Amino acid sequence: MTAASLTAARSFVATPGRPIGSVEGRRAFAFRHAGKRFGDKTVLDGIDLDVPAGQFLAVIGKSGCGKSTLLRLLAGLDRPTSGSLTFGVEEEGYSRTRFMFQEPRLLPWASVVENVEVGLTGIAIGTEARHRALDILGEVGLADRADEWPSVLSGGQKQRVALARALVGHPQILALDEPLGALDALTRIEMQQLLERIWIAQKFTAVLVTHDVAEAVALADRVVVISEGRIALDLDIPVERPRRRGSVELARLEGKILDRLFG
Amino acid sequence: MSLAQRVGKNGIGWLLPALVIAGWEAASRAGVMPASVLPAPSAVAEAFWRLTLSGELIRNIGVSTARALAGFAVGGSIGFALGLANGLSTLSRGLTDTTLQMIRNIPHLALIPLVILWFGIDEEAKLFLVALGVFFPIYVNTLLGIQSVDPQLVEMGRVYGMDRSALFFRVILPGALPAIFVGLRYALGIMWLTLIVAETISASSGLGYMAMQAREFLLIDVVVLSILIYALLGKLADSLARLLERLSLGWHPAFQNG
Ligand SMILES: Nc1ncnc2c1ncn2[C@@H]1O[C@H](COP(=O)(O)OP(=O)(O)OP(=O)(O)O)[C@@H](O)[C@H]1O
Ligand SMILES: [Mg+2]
């Protein structure tokens, strides 16, 4: 079957190309004919998307096509106006969906480690929260900045704190809305590698909205393109990890996506 | 910054006042400045000593400070509470904000004749005027502070599962604090100003009363002393507010490396 024809609901398939073991077959979440209207403006119109647990999904589309809206539905910030969104059976649903914004959105009046502890609201408090926050700060390479104010960090460091905050509660689903959009190219690649490394270690389901097609094919198991409120392309990226940026195979997939976007 | 530099930096601010006082003393001694217009600093210092020994000065400062703080506590807490309520609830804002903005345009000192009719020259009159004067800067700035809290941070708090009280204490209140401090410092200024006027016009104790009494007996040194003490009390209140501000806004880039 051709990838482009896969606009309807998919059944559970093991993700090709994922070398680490896991959680095949369990579903993370599924949109069924989900739609979202604001007033009389229809933004999403019949989204069918079934995502197995542990998959790295990238969402691409032109500005204003409804990518952020889709993520907000997923994070429970909005409700679909038609259709449904269901989570896998064992999931605790919204409480375990974490959201990483395009901006770091750190509390300026809380230290770095206190900001990470925000990610443990309702999960852990006190010394346990402090320990877990310091651990994850170590993973993103900022253990030595734990007691500083966010205002003294660089843009990339702030975004790493935001990533630590999103991950510290061990989310089952991590929704990322162009989290790297504002970073310079080098920091961006570094952050992509960090994200991939932590995703492989923690095995959460990642949904990454991005404008950057190269980023999508470098990171994701699967790329969907949204256009006119629907899924216009649903493409598996069956490339082994670690992936080599700029390889012929990735370039071919990238071309395919760009064709669909502008063809 | 080394200690010497620090002292130098703070010291330089006192250089000009010291020169002015020295020049003033010299002018008085040379007879250029008649004592009936402006007494010499040494005469003012003498008055200070005299009134301190008699206990009159301390008593009047105490009375004035108590009035100022009582009025501030009443007006400030009502202003703060209403600012919070109107910042957090559109219903509350819809109900009261227009009315408050209308009242705000009346200079509160214009109410003095009315206040004297209502309360005579009792303590309530001073309390009422100070409370009214303090109310608006606190109210306006608290409201402004809450309205200017970054909605993206509030959304972040919600996404991360903060309940209403956590959202208020960890996101909204700290975000509003810089504006609240602006209101606080402004209100402290208004507090002294209102009290001076109120005590000068109608009182039977306090610094303003002391100054008015001294005027009747042509004790210009005491008049000047009262004015200086008002200035010092105002400066003290402002310094305290600034200290509080520095302590609680340590995260703010404007207060770092300070
Ligand atoms: N709360 C809202 N009320 C009204 N319209 C909205 C609202 N939120 C989003 N929209 C509209 O929905 C459409 C999709 O918005 P969305 O933010 O999802 O786009 P996007 O794909 O994320 O775009 P970008 O890539 O620029 O971030 C836009 O036309 C936007 O104006
Ligand atoms: Mg968006």
Side-chain angles (χ1 to χ4, degrees), chain B residues 145-167:
Chain B
I146 289 191
Q147 286 177 331
S148 63
V149 171
D150 185 353
Q152 293 193 330
L153 287 182
V154 176
E155 190 186 57
M156 185 282 296
R158 287 224 177 83
V159 175
Y160 279 90
M162 288 188 189
D163 57 22
R164 283 166 155 271
S165 87
L167 210 56

Side-chain angles (χ1 to χ4, degrees), chain A residues 7-240:
Chain A
T7 52
R10 295 160 54 106
S11 54
F12 311 147
V13 284
T15 316
R18 177 114 189 235
I20 55 156
S22 64
V23 276
E24 282 161 28
R26 277 206 295 121
R27 173 198 291 161
F29 62 89
F31 285 97
R32 294 256 178 273
H33 312 296
K36 179 72 190 171
R37 267 195 328 271
F38 293 106
D40 52 6
K41 183 172 162 48
T42 302
V43 178
L44 296 176
D45 179 24
I47 296 281
D48 279 299
L49 186 63
D50 206 323
V51 176
Q55 187 170 60
F56 200 130
L57 175 76
V59 179
I60 293 188
K62 290 181 184 162
S63 185
C65 73
K67 305 182 294 296
S68 297
T69 305
L70 187 78
L71 277 199
R72 293 175 63 83
L73 294 181
L74 184 61
L77 288 171
D78 266 325
R79 306 260 155 200
T81 42
S82 61
S84 70
L85 164 63
T86 50
F87 290 92
V89 263
E90 308 99 304
E91 315 290 336
E92 284 163 53
Y94 295 137
S95 71
R96 290 298 198 179
T97 303
R98 284 301 186 224
F99 202 100
M100 200 175 155
F101 305 92
Q102 177 159 6
E103 322 79 27
R105 301 202 190 181
L106 304 178
L107 300 174
W109 42 84
S111 69
V112 165
V113 66
E114 285 165 351
N115 265 291
V116 176
E117 284 174 28
V118 168
L120 290 169
T121 306
I123 299 173
I125 51 168
T127 47
E128 197 210 330
R130 183 57 52 107
H131 278 298
R132 288 174 65 172
L134 287 172
D135 281 351
I136 192 91
L137 270 177
E139 278 190 57
V140 300
L142 288 174
D144 55 331
R145 312 300 295 268
D147 294 320
E148 292 180 43
W149 298 119
S151 60
V152 303
L153 300 182
S154 72
Q157 288 168 334
K158 283 182 193 158
Q159 214 40 313
R160 274 193 273 162
V161 176
L163 181 63
R165 179 181 62 193
L167 292 173
V168 71
H170 290 285
Q172 273 137 359
I173 301 172
L174 178 61
L176 305 110
D177 194 357
E178 299 177 47
L180 314 182
L183 303 180
D184 66 87
L186 294 181
T187 313
R188 209 177 153 111
I189 291 177
E190 230 171 66
M191 281 292 289
Q192 289 167 4
Q193 288 165 346
L194 176 69
L195 183 60
E196 185 179 37
R197 208 178 65 231
I198 294 181
W199 168 72
I200 288 173
Q202 291 203 3
K203 306 181 177 69
F204 51 84
T205 309
V207 182
L208 171 71
V209 164
T210 177
H211 274 130
D212 181 346
V213 183
E215 176 172 289
V217 297
L219 286 174
D221 295 324
R222 173 182 175 196
V223 176
V224 296
V225 174
I226 296 185
S227 172
E228 281 155 17
R230 295 169 177 279
I231 292 182
L233 174 69
D234 188 335
L235 185 68
D236 283 326
I237 311 291
V239 181
E240 289 290 330

